[in-house]
Amino acid sequence: MLLTALELVGIAAFAASGALAAVRARLDVFGVTVLALTTSLGGGTIRDVLLGVHPPVALVRWPYLAVAAVTGLVVFRFHPTVAKLRRSVLLLDAFGLGLFVTAGTTTALALGAPPYAACLVGMTTGIGGGALRDVLLREIPLVLRREIYAVAALAGAFVVVVGDQLDLPAVPVSLAGSAVIVGLRLLALWRHWNAPVAPRLDG
Amino acid sequence: MLLTALELVGIAAFAASGALAAVRARLDVFGVTVLALTTSLGGGTIRDVLLGVHPPVALVRWPYLAVAAVTGLVVFRFHPTVAKLRRSVLLLDAFGLGLFVTAGTTTALALGAPPYAACLVGMTTGIGGGALRDVLLREIPLVLRREIYAVAALAGAFVVVVGDQLDLPAVPVSLAGSAVIVGLRLLALWRHWNAPVAPRLDG
Amino acid sequence: MLLTALELVGIAAFAASGALAAVRARLDVFGVTVLALTTSLGGGTIRDVLLGVHPPVALVRWPYLAVAAVTGLVVFRFHPTVAKLRRSVLLLDAFGLGLFVTAGTTTALALGAPPYAACLVGMTTGIGGGALRDVLLREIPLVLRREIYAVAALAGAFVVVVGDQLDLPAVPVSLAGSAVIVGLRLLALWRHWNAPVAPRLDG
């Protein structure tokens, strides 16, 4: 119940980031809604396609669809206000990332994926939607360039996998994994951490 | 029989739009053929991947492949003529969209997807190929920007789902859904309808 | 055993091409690793998604993941040296293409796909990873433009399918298919062969 409420908050945050990017790219109201849906439900859909869950959960649970679509429409209508709330959206986005990654990792483990595969699937669940958003809007995915985004996702997935190997109870392990992700993201945003870039190629 | 003939017309129209875009992007003869295949069969393939139909129907029915590939080669050879037929291609494209969306929605319902999921899957069947085409050619997908394209697809899918809920016979319902899509597209092309765009972001 | 060793060489070559492209696009160390993984394992993952193999083999075999990730990190650290070895990377890439295409075609036939579908799946296995790399880095896929790349893949897949129809033993047929691909690629690189491009559109 609490978990579902948190999930819906995460979906709304991801949908808002997709819709804002679509408004900036001058898409019409329908394109903005599609980007909101893709960004918030794309990661989970990729996870389900990889793991063979048909049809993908994101398409079957109508509250997910409703929250994503309504968020898209709200952003379309009030986007200058939402753009001013950028800091809050980033905060919610960190929570969404935490929930999506740990839920994705847990699902993969439950369906019998080996630990390293579960890590990758969990990370993909968290960053796949944002990557789709950027590919559709013709950007190099931000999650491959932004401060410690995918690294945070991988760290949280790792916590879940280690907890599973040690047979610890699932819920506290998921919360710990989420906390690691949220903590790393907030630290990265606060300190402007970035992963190193290779020196420019001269040859 | 009639339905298959109509489907092949739709595939040829979608393949022509992909091949024309590829010729404009200066792809070689092979790239043009790949784009023709991707544009015409990509939407159905995404549908089958989402619904767990393996291998995707589009790869298994050779007439689909043959029509798409031959259309690509014909466009490569005679593209100035085909470009002049742009209006006819758009007309055929509207028919293709109508058939693809209603067929995709019907398939999703037959495989047990809930109504709203069937709507989304049907819409994806219709617009997925065009979206793949544009992503591969590094464009922001036209279907997210063009006059009432995805909205028409969604409206047609909705008709099919409502007909299914009311237990109406499948074939007339599919025809009605297709008619709605074709009608909306032709009206949008004729009147240059576009969905609204958000005012420019100043902040 | 030998086949696995060859596969790992192919994965390393594909991973190096992805990582080099990512370094050029100024991704950080994590993005470079993700591109290495995507380029080398993306084709096989697309194949498994199309054929319904869950979870995809590439995510389940840890040596694949390890070789791809380590190659990415090595390229990130020593990329000026690797860039100088461009010719060797292209050579290894040709071997990788040969192995991936024939393995993909064989897998598709084993899972009951009809011959033409197996050809397409095999080709996709070989060129899918490179296409993903270019889409993520916002390029029109090189495999659709480069000298006889996808054509070579298709020719090799065709050899495997013909061999299968004639009930020839699988291993020599796969080797013959790979040899065709490697030979065509080396000839194309040596003679700067390219497939024809349509004359520019004036209308």
Side-chain angles (χ1 to χ4, degrees):
Chain A
M1 190 60 215
L2 173 67
L3 203 65
T4 304
L6 285 173
E7 269 189 328
L8 292 178
V9 170
I11 286 173
F14 274 41
S17 95
L20 270 182
V23 166
R24 281 205 194 89
R26 314 288 303 145
L27 297 198
D28 64 25
V29 59
F30 192 85
V32 170
T33 311
V34 170
L35 260 286
L37 286 165
T38 310
T39 309
S40 56
L41 307 177
T45 302
I46 295 175
R47 174 199 64 204
D48 291 347
V49 164
L50 289 176
L51 295 175
V53 178
H54 302 294
V57 170
L59 296 183
V60 173
R61 299 216 181 126
W62 68 263
Y64 289 17
L65 292 168
V67 165
V70 168
T71 303
L73 293 172
V74 167
V75 168
F76 181 79
R77 179 71 187 75
F78 301 107
H79 66 94
T81 312
V82 178
K84 271 177 207 138
L85 300 173
R86 189 176 158 277
R87 195 174 286 271
S88 319
V89 171
L90 281 175
L91 193 69
L92 291 173
D93 179 275
F95 279 99
L97 185 69
L99 286 162
F100 284 19
V101 169
T102 54
T105 312
T106 307
T107 307
L109 289 170
L111 291 172
Y116 38 91
C119 274
L120 282 182
V121 170
M123 188 184 78
T124 305
T125 308
I127 73 176
L132 275 179
R133 172 197 65 206
D134 294 342
V135 165
L136 286 174
L137 297 177
R138 221 178 34 173
E139 303 280 344
I140 295 182
L142 211 57
V143 295
L144 300 180
R145 297 183 288 132
R146 191 156 56 176
E147 321 88 351
I148 310 286
Y149 199 92
V151 173
L154 197 56
F158 188 69
V159 168
V160 173
V161 164
V162 168
D164 179 76
Q165 294 282 308
L166 301 176
D167 270 325
L168 300 177
V171 173
V173 163
S174 284
L175 289 178
S178 297
V180 165
I181 293 171
V182 173
L184 281 174
R185 279 298 293 147
L186 295 190
L187 269 172
L189 287 172
W190 178 44
R191 307 293 302 256
H192 293 289
W193 276 347
N194 280 291
V197 173
R200 205 171 275 282
L201 207 68
D202 292 321
Chain B
M1 190 59 214
L2 174 66
L3 203 65
T4 303
L6 285 173
E7 268 189 328
L8 292 178
V9 171
I11 286 172
F14 274 40
S17 93
L20 270 182
V23 166
R24 281 205 194 90
R26 313 288 304 143
L27 296 200
D28 65 27
V29 59
F30 192 86
V32 170
T33 312
V34 169
L35 259 286
L37 287 164
T38 309
T39 309
S40 57
L41 306 177
T45 302
I46 294 175
R47 176 199 63 206
D48 291 348
V49 164
L50 288 176
L51 296 175
V53 178
H54 303 294
V57 169
L59 296 183
V60 173
R61 298 217 181 124
W62 67 262
Y64 289 17
L65 291 169
V67 165
V70 168
T71 304
L73 292 171
V74 167
V75 169
F76 182 79
R77 179 71 186 74
F78 302 108
H79 66 94
T81 313
V82 178
K84 271 177 210 141
L85 300 174
R86 187 176 161 277
R87 197 173 287 269
S88 320
V89 171
L90 280 175
L91 195 69
L92 291 173
D93 179 274
F95 280 99
L97 185 69
L99 286 163
F100 284 20
V101 169
T102 53
T105 312
T106 308
T107 307
L109 289 170
L111 291 172
Y116 38 90
C119 274
L120 283 182
V121 169
M123 188 184 80
T124 306
T125 308
I127 73 176
L132 274 180
R133 172 197 65 206
D134 294 343
V135 164
L136 286 174
L137 296 178
R138 222 178 35 172
E139 303 281 343
I140 294 182
L142 211 57
V143 294
L144 299 180
R145 295 183 290 131
R146 193 157 53 176
E147 319 88 355
I148 309 286
Y149 198 93
V151 173
L154 196 56
F158 187 69
V159 168
V160 173
V161 164
V162 168
D164 180 76
Q165 295 281 307
L166 301 175
D167 269 326
L168 299 176
V171 173
V173 163
S174 285
L175 290 177
S178 298
V180 165
I181 292 170
V182 173
L184 281 174
R185 279 297 294 148
L186 296 189
L187 269 172
L189 287 171
W190 178 43
R191 306 293 303 256
H192 294 289
W193 276 348
N194 281 292
V197 173
R200 203 171 277 282
L201 205 70
D202 294 321
Chain C
M1 190 59 214
L2 174 66
L3 204 64
T4 304
L6 284 174
E7 268 188 328
L8 292 178
V9 170
I11 286 172
F14 274 40
S17 95
L20 270 182
V23 166
R24 281 205 195 89
R26 315 288 303 143
L27 297 199
D28 64 26
V29 58
F30 192 85
V32 170
T33 311
V34 169
L35 259 287
L37 287 164
T38 309
T39 309
S40 56
L41 307 177
T45 302
I46 294 174
R47 175 199 64 205
D48 290 348
V49 164
L50 288 175
L51 296 174
V53 178
H54 302 295
V57 169
L59 295 182
V60 173
R61 297 217 183 126
W62 68 262
Y64 289 17
L65 292 169
V67 165
V70 168
T71 304
L73 293 171
V74 166
V75 168
F76 181 80
R77 179 70 187 76
F78 301 108
H79 67 93
T81 312
V82 177
K84 270 177 209 140
L85 300 173
R86 188 175 159 278
R87 197 174 286 271
S88 319
V89 171
L90 280 174
L91 195 68
L92 291 173
D93 179 274
F95 279 99
L97 186 69
L99 287 163
F100 284 20
V101 170
T102 52
T105 313
T106 309
T107 306
L109 289 169
L111 291 172
Y116 38 89
C119 274
L120 282 182
V121 169
M123 188 185 78
T124 305
T125 307
I127 73 177
L132 274 180
R133 172 196 64 206
D134 293 344
V135 165
L136 286 175
L137 297 178
R138 222 176 35 171
E139 302 281 344
I140 295 182
L142 210 57
V143 294
L144 299 180
R145 296 184 289 134
R146 191 156 55 176
E147 320 88 354
I148 311 285
Y149 198 92
V151 173
L154 197 55
F158 188 70
V159 169
V160 172
V161 163
V162 169
D164 179 75
Q165 295 282 307
L166 301 176
D167 269 327
L168 299 177
V171 173
V173 163
S174 284
L175 289 178
S178 297
V180 166
I181 293 171
V182 173
L184 281 174
R185 279 297 294 147
L186 295 190
L187 269 172
L189 287 172
W190 178 43
R191 307 293 302 255
H192 294 289
W193 276 347
N194 282 292
V197 173
R200 204 171 277 280
L201 205 69
D202 292 322

